[in-house]
Amino acid sequence: GWKDKDPLSSWGFNLLQPRAKQRAEALIFGRVREYRYDVTYSCQRCTLSSDHFCVSIKAFPYDWQMFAYHLPERLEYEGCAPVFLGESAEQPKESELQRLIDAHPEFQDAGVR
């Protein structure tokens, strides 16, 4: 399938020419910020503690949407819905996600709401 091939060859670059791959990467991925391609979809998952994990989703044209989940393996959290933590224009760092979780009432006490 198309995913098995080199992605640069699908952009019409002849990768057999000298330095073609470097030129193609510079043209496609090395653009200045105002001319870069927007991220159309991205998903980031990270585990921050033994009780919960976070998922951040970027879907063009929206900002990053950040959610925290209680680990489903913990019986007391079975069936709990994800908790919306907020949104961010930039890809969130784990420290930012941890700060949002620490401040959210859902995670303030150990009980299930």
Side-chain angles (χ1 to χ4, degrees):
W2 66 270
K3 290 182 180 181
D4 300 330
K5 297 179 181 174
D6 187 338
L8 294 175
S9 64
S10 68
W11 283 73
F13 289 98
N14 180 356
L15 296 179
L16 299 177
Q17 294 178 341
R19 294 178 302 162
K21 187 169 184 171
Q22 291 83 1
R23 288 197 316 264
E25 286 176 338
L27 268 170
I28 296 169
F29 303 112
R31 295 171 177 240
V32 292
R33 180 173 283 282
E34 56 268 11
Y35 295 114
R36 284 187 188 153
Y37 294 102
D38 291 322
V39 173
T40 55
Y41 183 82
S42 184
C43 182
Q44 164 189 327
R45 182 189 189 278
C46 62
T47 303
L48 299 174
S49 78
S50 61
D51 289 334
H52 52 269
F53 66 92
C54 293
V55 174
S56 301
I57 299 171
K58 168 77 171 132
F60 182 80
Y62 305 102
D63 287 339
W64 285 89
Q65 306 291 309
M66 300 171 288
F67 300 89
Y69 292 78
H70 294 285
L71 288 178
E73 294 84 17
R74 301 276 309 263
L75 202 50
E76 66 268 26
Y77 297 133
E78 187 175 348
C80 285
V83 177
F84 180 70
L85 297 175
E87 55 186 61
S88 172
E90 299 296 319
Q91 183 174 356
K93 295 180 170 53
E94 287 187 14
S95 59
E96 179 185 358
L97 292 168
Q98 187 63 58
R99 182 183 53 77
L100 290 168
I101 286 173
D102 292 343
H104 199 283
E106 176 75 22
F107 300 101
Q108 294 293 321
D109 68 39
V112 176
R113 296 179 181 231

